[in-house]
Amino acid sequence: MALSKRPYKGTRDFFPELKRGQDFLFQKMSQTAHLFGYEPYDGPLLEEVDLYRAKSGEELINDQIYSFIDRGERHVAIRPEMTPTVARMVAQIHREVTRPIRWFTIANLMRYERPQKGRLREHWQFNCDIFGAPEGQGEVEILQVAIALLNNFGANEKHFEIRLNDRKIVDYTFNQLLKIDDEKALKLYKIVDRATKVSKEALDKMIDELGLSDEQRKIFSDYLSLNSFGDLMQFLAGSEVATYLPKFVDQMEELGYLPYLKYDPTIVRGLDYYTGMVFEIFDKHPENRRALCGGGAFADLLKIFDETPLAGVGLGLGDVTLMDFLKVHNLLPSFERPSNDLFVSFQTEEAKIPALKLAKELRSNNLNVITTLEPLKFKKIFPAAEKKGARFVAIFGDKELENNSVQFKNMQTKEQTELSLSDIDKIVEYLK
Ligand code: HAM
């Protein structure tokens, strides 16, 4: 039987048009990270499973990880996320480098998920992490990077919102107010996480099964109905929890970011290592309800490597959900055609060498030049050049050969200009 031509389930073949689109995302990601002074890093595709077992959480380990035993009997995994890797790398060097450490990467990750809109088995994820920032300040910067990136694509507060919470607030509610044990708290965490994804009846049923007292139910329902930072401050009044928050909110307001933020008590995130702020970025478009980006603060993750942890805050933003977001809001240019500066054609065998020589010289002047490989009839030149996204066309006919010149056509304005082949600088200037 013939083999299937399809890629492995949940992965994509990046044909040039799709790859141009992905490169466009990557360029903006890298550009934005550099604007904030983040340095690029990368790590291996494989890590020991124990790295994720330590703090990434049940779902990732039990359901999503691709793992195998290697020939040396090590249990290894294809990376499902970058945070454990970056933590491992930072743990190696943080004593020797100046802090804060600001790093970014765009890495492909594999998770065994049911492929659906916004979820694949392989995706690329932009990660930005800052280590060693004062409490609250790394959070401000990471959110600013996320907003700047989406602004860079032309999106604003009409298109997306950042919903945030803090794990300490959840723990405070469960431990101090509800006074429930760890086992119930774990179950309630899952209920909070599901709260906006299931119907009211299903939510009530899950809560019933926990056997909370009327008073506990009341507190829990008060918690779930918190809807703004104002509500939250009242709820926390008199406690010592998340004391950085008022200042954080003031700062975000002064910097003009408050319209992007929303307090959301149901944001808890599935990964175990978060210890403080957690956030997710959502598209406001009703057709695209998945989170584009998630992240938060992880004060203790580096403790799995040694005794002196360094606190980190970071974000992960996926290419699949970002593409869906940009598409639904019409924020993407067309990737149908490649882009080239010049399409060099020749109509006769004699004109081939002068044409290829011109192409060679222009490439050494950093112009992207595509040439025909055999003589091309005049009427075929422009359609061919258009398919290649050329800004200009160079035509070498008999007349031009005689004059030692070349005829250029500007594909946009349709203007034609004849220039001498002996003055390359002038040609370069014209094409640039
Ligand atoms: P995460 O929430 O698991 O966080 O993933 C972050 C983003 O990656 C999601 O919001 C989504 O856009 C995208 N993503 C995740 N899984 C898939 C998938 N199967 N298919 C398509 N896109 C996906 C993390 O991974 C954290 N390590 C982020 C982080 C960095 N926290 C601190 N620093």
Side-chain angles (χ1 to χ4, degrees):
M1 200 179 72
L3 285 180
S4 164
K5 291 182 195 139
R6 309 298 306 161
Y8 167 66
K9 186 171 178 181
T11 69
R12 290 162 287 174
D13 285 332
F14 287 89
F15 289 96
E17 185 175 340
L18 199 58
K19 186 63 189 150
R20 277 193 283 279
Q22 197 193 41
D23 281 351
F24 172 76
L25 305 189
F26 289 179
Q27 265 164 22
K28 298 260 187 204
M29 290 169 178
S30 158
Q31 221 175 45
T32 310
H34 282 292
L35 285 177
F36 287 81
Y38 283 64
E39 295 176 78
Y41 74 94
D42 205 346
L45 195 64
L46 297 180
E47 291 275 12
E48 304 236 3
V49 170
D50 284 346
L51 182 66
Y52 306 106
R53 194 167 281 135
K55 277 193 181 265
S56 290
E58 260 174 36
E59 191 191 13
L60 199 92
I61 288 291
N62 296 345
D63 308 331
Q64 298 182 339
I65 213 156
Y66 278 85
S67 64
F68 61 94
I69 308 289
D70 77 4
R71 288 167 204 263
E73 301 291 310
R74 291 171 210 88
H75 195 188
V76 291
I78 303 179
R79 57 187 181 193
E81 58 156 338
M82 282 310 276
T83 314
T85 299
V86 74
R88 185 176 62 65
M89 288 168 67
V90 167
Q92 291 173 51
I93 51 94
H94 73 87
R95 282 174 206 81
E96 292 104 59
V97 300
T98 356
R99 299 171 188 175
I101 298 167
R102 294 178 165 99
W103 284 2
F104 85 94
T105 196
I106 306 168
N108 58 332
L109 312 174
M110 301 273 319
R111 296 184 188 179
Y112 194 82
E113 299 208 49
R114 190 169 60 79
Q116 55 193 290
K117 188 172 159 64
R119 279 282 172 274
L120 294 177
R121 292 190 172 168
E122 183 183 40
H123 77 284
W124 270 255
Q125 202 186 84
F126 173 56
N127 276 246
C128 265
D129 290 273
I130 183 166
F131 293 86
E135 195 191 17
Q137 219 45 53
E139 287 79 346
V140 169
E141 186 165 297
I142 286 294
L143 292 176
Q144 211 177 333
V145 172
I147 296 171
L149 173 64
L150 296 176
N151 286 165
N152 208 339
F153 287 105
N156 57 39
E157 73 272 19
K158 290 204 283 295
H159 304 107
F160 69 93
E161 70 183 2
I162 304 178
R163 300 190 199 151
L164 57 87
N165 195 7
D166 191 303
R167 284 253 171 110
K168 292 203 189 79
I169 299 172
V170 188
D171 291 339
Y172 163 76
T173 309
F174 292 179
N175 302 333
Q176 311 280 319
L177 302 179
L178 295 177
K179 299 191 171 58
I180 51 176
D181 59 30
D182 288 354
E183 198 189 322
K184 267 193 185 159
L186 203 65
K187 287 188 181 147
L188 208 51
Y189 245 104
K190 291 198 176 124
I191 295 178
V192 172
D193 190 34
R194 309 277 309 143
T196 53
K197 297 166 194 145
V198 297
S199 67
K200 167 119 188 27
E201 292 72 40
L203 183 66
D204 285 343
K205 187 163 173 272
M206 284 194 281
I207 300 173
D208 285 345
E209 281 165 11
L210 270 188
L212 299 181
S213 68
D214 287 352
E215 194 192 344
Q216 284 173 319
R217 278 194 84 126
K218 162 90 175 60
I219 298 172
F220 186 54
S221 124
D222 286 351
Y223 169 75
L224 278 188
S225 51
L226 296 174
N227 196 23
S228 67
F229 289 111
D231 283 358
L232 175 67
M233 302 302 174
Q234 272 184 1
F235 185 79
L236 295 179
S239 79
E240 289 291 305
V241 179
T243 45
Y244 73 91
L245 258 181
K247 264 202 205 142
F248 164 85
V249 174
D250 284 351
Q251 236 187 100
M252 292 306 269
E253 178 162 28
E254 296 207 31
L255 293 170
Y257 296 124
L258 210 50
Y260 289 100
L261 302 187
K262 183 166 174 16
Y263 175 69
D264 184 337
T266 67
I267 299 293
V268 287
R269 312 259 307 129
L271 299 156
D272 284 354
Y273 45 71
Y274 296 113
T275 52
M277 183 181 286
V278 278
F279 65 86
E280 299 207 344
I281 303 187
F282 284 88
D283 190 343
K284 286 188 170 172
H285 199 286
E287 270 172 41
N288 201 25
R289 303 309 294 164
R290 271 198 185 283
L292 304 182
C293 172
F298 45 98
D300 302 330
L301 182 53
L302 269 68
K303 261 199 196 151
I304 63 176
F305 306 106
D306 53 40
E307 280 308 299
T308 41
L310 182 67
V313 186
L315 65 80
L317 180 141
D319 67 330
V320 182
T321 42
L322 177 61
M323 206 37 125
D324 287 345
F325 168 75
L326 297 172
K327 260 189 210 150
V328 85
H329 293 290
N330 281 322
L331 293 171
L332 287 174
S334 162
F335 303 112
E336 202 185 321
R337 294 198 174 142
S339 58
N340 283 295
D341 295 311
L342 180 67
F343 182 86
V344 173
S345 67
F346 47 88
Q347 286 163 264
T348 59
E349 205 49 51
E350 297 71 62
K352 178 157 87 182
I353 292 301
L356 296 187
K357 273 189 178 162
L358 174 70
K360 179 180 166 205
E361 291 218 46
L362 294 177
R363 288 183 190 122
S364 65
N365 279 282
N366 268 330
L367 287 155
N368 299 340
V369 183
I370 192 159
T371 67
T372 48
L373 299 175
E374 52 193 355
L376 201 62
K377 288 207 178 78
F378 188 76
K379 65 170 190 220
K380 293 200 170 160
I381 296 176
F382 299 108
E386 209 167 287
K387 278 198 194 122
K388 296 295 170 199
R391 291 192 299 121
F392 290 91
V393 173
I395 302 154
F396 282 89
D398 289 343
K399 187 174 117 271
E400 288 80 16
L401 261 192
E402 235 167 71
N403 297 346
N404 190 38
S405 70
V406 53
Q407 190 77 235
F408 288 103
K409 179 163 175 167
N410 181 321
M411 292 293 281
Q412 206 183 359
T413 63
K414 311 286 178 220
E415 256 173 353
Q416 282 201 199
T417 311
E418 186 167 342
L419 294 174
S420 165
L421 278 176
S422 52
D423 195 348
I424 282 290
D425 290 348
K426 196 160 176 197
I427 296 181
V428 171
E429 192 187 323
Y430 169 76
L431 295 173
K432 282 194 170 167

